[in-house]
Amino acid sequence: MKSIVVTEFGTSDVLETRETDVPEPGPGEVRIEVAAAGLNFADVMQRRGHYRGGPEPPFVPGMEAAGTVDAVGDDVDREVGDRVVALAPEAYAEYVVAPAASLFEVPESMSFPEAAGFPVQFLTAHNCLHNWGDLTAHDRVLVHAAAGGVGTAAVQLADHADAESFGTASTAEKLELAADLGLDHGVNYEEEDFRETVEAETDGEGVDLVLDGVNGETFERSLDALASFGRIVVYGAASGDVATPDTTDLLFENKSVLGFHLGNAIEKDPSRVLGAVSDLQRLLAQGELDVVVGETFSLEDAAEAQEYLESRQSVGKVVLEP
């Protein structure tokens, strides 16, 4: 089969298409013939060698894939031909093996590219908003990269929860997309400071919750925009920089900083993280949520796809199709 391999840490040039063996499912596992694989910024960070605990080259990147069950291992209650999406390592390939417990059904009404955009971004957004961020109706929430994969999911979920949402993006077109999904206040961070918008729209009080996958300077300014008793949930570091909060700000203003890592959280407490699945599937089935797929690339164009993701041009989910 064809797989994309990170041959060494570096730029997208280190990605190569190679012929590798088709994996065999073990007990409790299934093999999926991949129809679409989702790209995440974590894939880029792993390729650069900047992802803590990430794999060492050579490795096949990727962490979510949608397709049909092709083979099942022992003790698996699945049928060949089932339409599924899975949290699965080494997803940049024509076939992938995944634990049967990590599979989600893909309804006939959903395309495989849409399904590939579901697990990471919606589980991250839902957990950051609710299980970690304790979002309630009429809370004010600030979502950075509001037109990205997690951002488009978070904007919709915040709207569904009757929260007042603020969101940042780099272009008017991205903000228009986010507004169509339910964003209340859009900020073009290339032209204005989101802190000023938050201050003006909240009468100086600030937001109750921030979802930050950017980190660095964005985190530091988000702390300024946070209301007393507010929470920041950090789920990524797309900027490549890491911030160190001033703990006196946390102390004297009763602010909280929480971290969320999907993979680690599922490993440590799967029921807490995956408890969101049934609610998300119901909302998707009812048409109350949409998986926004921005661009699709062929598997062999994985390097171009990652470059596109790095360029900040992308909206929604970027997907590979073998």
Side-chain angles (χ1 to χ4, degrees):
M1 69 173 184
K2 291 179 181 178
S3 299
I4 303 302
V5 177
V6 176
T7 58
E8 59 182 306
F9 292 134
T11 66
S12 62
D13 294 340
V14 305
L15 293 172
E16 290 186 2
T17 303
R18 291 183 177 179
E19 291 291 330
T20 59
D21 292 335
V22 176
E24 293 295 329
E29 295 180 331
V30 303
R31 185 173 66 211
I32 300 169
E33 183 177 3
V34 178
L39 269 70
N40 294 282
F41 207 82
D43 304 341
V44 173
M45 300 294 283
Q46 288 182 0
R47 189 205 72 216
R48 294 174 181 172
H50 298 161
Y51 197 86
R52 191 169 77 177
E56 295 289 328
F59 66 90
V60 176
M63 55 186 63
E64 57 187 339
T68 54
V69 174
D70 174 70
V72 299
D74 294 336
D75 302 320
V76 173
D77 186 21
R78 289 284 178 178
E79 298 292 334
V80 171
D82 284 353
R83 290 166 50 89
V84 297
V85 61
L87 292 166
E90 303 184 354
Y92 288 24
E94 292 182 311
Y95 293 88
V96 67
V97 165
S102 75
L103 302 185
F104 310 118
E105 300 289 346
V106 175
E108 292 292 338
S109 61
M110 178 179 284
S111 70
F112 283 127
E114 289 172 329
F118 166 68
V120 170
Q121 67 184 38
F122 275 92
L123 283 173
T124 297
H126 194 286
N127 277 283
C128 286
L129 287 170
H130 295 288
N131 286 348
W132 269 250
D134 291 328
L135 183 71
T136 60
H138 310 302
D139 271 356
R140 295 158 171 163
V141 57
L142 169 61
V143 179
H144 291 298
V150 173
T152 53
V155 166
Q156 293 178 76
L157 290 169
D159 182 58
H160 185 263
D162 293 325
E164 181 180 359
S165 58
F166 295 76
T168 64
S170 60
T171 68
E173 292 76 15
K174 289 183 178 182
L175 290 173
E176 183 177 351
L177 168 66
D180 289 341
L181 296 173
L183 183 68
D184 297 308
H185 310 284
V187 180
N188 185 330
Y189 64 76
E190 297 285 359
E191 300 176 353
E192 53 190 319
D193 189 332
F194 63 82
R195 291 175 297 183
E196 295 177 359
T197 301
V198 168
E199 182 174 11
E201 296 293 338
T202 65
D203 295 327
E205 292 182 4
V207 294
D208 303 293
L209 176 63
V210 179
L211 266 59
D212 181 15
V214 181
N215 218 310
E217 182 187 356
T218 297
F219 172 90
E220 295 169 354
R221 291 188 290 131
S222 295
L223 197 60
D224 291 339
L226 199 63
S228 293
F229 304 101
R231 297 84 64 199
I232 297 181
V233 182
V234 179
Y235 67 89
S239 67
D241 296 323
V242 178
T244 302
D246 183 340
T247 54
T248 57
D249 286 342
L250 306 181
L251 170 64
F252 284 99
E253 298 181 35
N254 292 289
K255 298 177 179 180
S256 302
V257 178
L258 303 98
F260 177 80
H261 184 277
L262 180 62
N264 180 269
I266 289 176
E267 179 184 349
K268 300 294 186 183
D269 195 351
S271 62
R272 179 182 181 187
V273 179
L274 299 178
V277 170
S278 59
D279 189 37
L280 289 171
Q281 289 180 321
R282 176 180 58 81
L283 293 172
L284 286 166
Q286 293 173 348
E288 296 187 41
L289 298 176
D290 292 315
V291 179
V292 179
V293 177
E295 294 289 336
T296 59
F297 294 80
S298 68
L299 182 65
E300 292 85 351
D301 292 331
E304 182 183 349
Q306 286 202 356
E307 289 170 5
Y308 182 68
L309 192 64
E310 290 177 272
S311 72
R312 302 291 195 271
Q313 298 178 62
S314 64
V315 296
K317 193 70 171 184
V318 179
V319 175
L320 295 177
E321 292 183 301

